[in-house]
Amino acid sequence: MSGKEEKEFLPVVRQKRFAWIVSTILLAGYLSTASALTLYVDPETNQVYTTPGENRIKLGDFEPVKKAENMPAEKRPTEEEARVLETRIDQKMEELKAMEARFEAQQQAIQTASEQTQPVPVPDSTPENEKSASKEEKKWYDRIKIGGYTQFRQSAGLGGDLENLSSPGDKSIEEDTNFFIRRARLVFQGDISDHLKLYMQTEFAGGDVSVRDMYGDIYFDKKKEFRIRPGLSKVPNSFELLQSSRDRLAFERADALSTGVRNERDTGVFFYWTPEHIQERFSFLRKGLKGSGDYGVIGFGLYTGQGLNERDKNDNLHIAARVTYPFQFDNGQIFETGVYGYTGKFVPDVAVNTGAGILAAPIFNKKGYRDARIGLHAILYPQPFGLQAEWNWGKSPQLSADMTRIESGNIDGGYVQAMYKYDSPWGALIPYVKWQKYSGAEKFQANAPFARVREIEAGLEWQIRPEVEFVVAYSHMDRTNVKNLVHVKDANIMRFQLQWNY
């Protein structure tokens, strides 16, 4: 007999033996009306006692059998008393049966609990294809991840023409502005399946909630090397436009690039190809080295060309294309270089602007003007020293010199940035210096005015923790205020930014 069978068998034996003993005593004791002995039982241990105590149940009063047999006839119970005694015996037997039933139920509960806490290992005979199917049964919304970041800024003017200072990219530098939330992003993303990824990003800064991204990546293969991206997304363009503001060192993107695709996004459909090993490289570059993310080694597509969340105005699509490659040397250093460009027709907004001297809306062609650029980028990633540079040339709609009409004008500009990454015990420190230049139209501004920018920025980013960053920077600005068309030749400011990632 096994140990488990023995454990199950012994309580049953004790219960049967206990029942036999009690039955014998009851039958013998009720032959006499005189009470000589009172018995008690402990239902947990099945022990019989002659004295009362804790957890003991009274069985009855009993006399020895011999005394009952030698009892004189006149003292023996009558038939009526015998029937009463028999009834009492039957009652006691029923109580005993109920007690046995409780014992068996307790024993079964103990056995069940033991089996649950110490399950017997059973070999998994599930076929591999069924296991895979079980994993894929996970609901699509369980795959969605939520993240984002917030940028909290404060600017301080140090001197110069601060009254007219303005930038399309950063309202925090304008006069009478103190604390300012530049960006407050919330991102929802996840792989719905092996062939579909969902991405949505919203913007809460500025008092209005707007959609920044809303697209799906549809993959043609399980390695995810080939995909199309329909929806609202970034246009394959310059490195800095594709690099997230979450990762960028400088406070804003260079005007020479952002004037081409303001807010970096538009509605369209794009194709991307990224070999599997380059996917891993792009992912590595996003982890502390200020990479742009995976926008393909080759990317191209069509988009409306009128800007973020704007409908098409001339039934004419823009065409964009980009080629880039991150080379990795034997020492681990990564250098990325590429070329990009776009072409299409852009329809500018026109309006009266008395503050700028525009007393009547300029004349313009409703079918739009040629809007085309070509650019180059080169990035030596900070390992620890880094360099980053981009330049582009092209055509853009532009306000005429007499401010009466819109015409086609040339654009030219870019930037150069140097940086150094030092991993200190208190977090990564990245000092940087950036110089930018731009001459050309600000086509997304009303009337597409001409702008001239010459700016230098020097700052320090401190990555306190992975989820918290602090940046301080000094800027000397020489730029056109595209609102009132006043050119600010000299302005000096300090900017501070606290960023938290989630």
Side-chain angles (χ1 to χ4, degrees), residues 37 164 177 191 232 305 319 353 381 451 496:
L37 182 64
N164 291 304
T177 301
D191 291 325
L232 175 63
I319 302 173
N353 184 351
Y381 286 93
F496 308 87

Side-chain angles (χ1 to χ4, degrees), residues 248-300:
R248 189 181 61 254
L249 282 171
F251 273 75
E252 294 298 333
R253 294 176 173 90
D255 292 69
L257 306 175
S258 61
T259 51
V261 187
R262 177 67 67 192
N263 297 311
E264 311 89 51
R265 298 165 173 85
D266 213 321
T267 304
V269 57
F270 304 103
F271 170 85
Y272 294 104
W273 171 67
T274 314
E276 190 174 22
H277 70 287
I278 299 300
Q279 293 178 36
E280 297 174 358
R281 195 168 298 173
F282 281 143
S283 178
F284 169 74
L285 292 172
R286 284 294 306 275
K287 299 174 182 178
L289 292 179
K290 306 299 182 181
S292 66
D294 183 0
Y295 289 89
V297 169
I298 297 176
F300 60 87

Side-chain angles (χ1 to χ4, degrees), residues 366-440:
K366 293 183 179 180
K367 289 297 182 179
Y369 298 83
R370 187 185 177 197
D371 181 27
R373 297 193 184 196
I374 187 169
L376 304 170
H377 64 261
I379 303 94
L380 181 71
Y381 286 93
Q383 299 172 284
F385 176 75
L387 281 173
Q388 185 174 318
E390 297 190 77
W391 212 268
N392 70 164
W393 307 263
K395 288 283 188 179
S396 173
Q398 178 181 304
L399 182 66
S400 64
D402 60 7
M403 299 186 292
T404 61
R405 66 187 184 280
I406 305 297
E407 57 188 17
S408 182
N410 295 322
I411 71 95
D412 169 57
Y415 72 92
V416 178
Q417 176 177 287
M419 52 204 153
Y420 187 89
K421 185 174 186 287
Y422 171 62
D423 294 314
S424 76
W426 308 281
L429 298 170
I430 308 179
Y432 70 93
V433 58
K434 179 180 182 180
W435 171 82
Q436 67 159 313
K437 171 182 179 286
Y438 177 62
S439 297

Side-chain angles (χ1 to χ4, degrees), residues 125-137:
S125 59
T126 307
E128 290 298 324
N129 60 343
E130 291 186 14
K131 291 180 182 178
S132 300
S134 175
K135 290 181 180 179
E136 294 177 356
E137 289 176 359

Side-chain angles (χ1 to χ4, degrees), residues 267-341:
T267 304
V269 57
F270 304 103
F271 170 85
Y272 294 104
W273 171 67
T274 314
E276 190 174 22
H277 70 287
I278 299 300
Q279 293 178 36
E280 297 174 358
R281 195 168 298 173
F282 281 143
S283 178
F284 169 74
L285 292 172
R286 284 294 306 275
K287 299 174 182 178
L289 292 179
K290 306 299 182 181
S292 66
D294 183 0
Y295 289 89
V297 169
I298 297 176
F300 60 87
L302 303 171
Y303 65 104
T304 62
Q306 293 302 134
L308 177 66
N309 294 324
E310 294 289 340
R311 65 177 182 83
D312 197 4
K313 296 180 180 180
N314 59 357
D315 195 24
N316 178 270
L317 295 174
H318 277 54
I319 302 173
R322 177 178 186 260
V323 177
T324 190
Y325 195 87
F327 298 92
Q328 185 166 24
F329 302 118
D330 293 339
N331 62 356
Q333 178 70 57
I334 298 177
F335 172 74
E336 182 178 350
T337 186
V339 59
Y340 55 90

Side-chain angles (χ1 to χ4, degrees), residues 71-76:
M71 187 180 295
E74 64 274 10
K75 292 187 178 180
R76 292 181 182 180

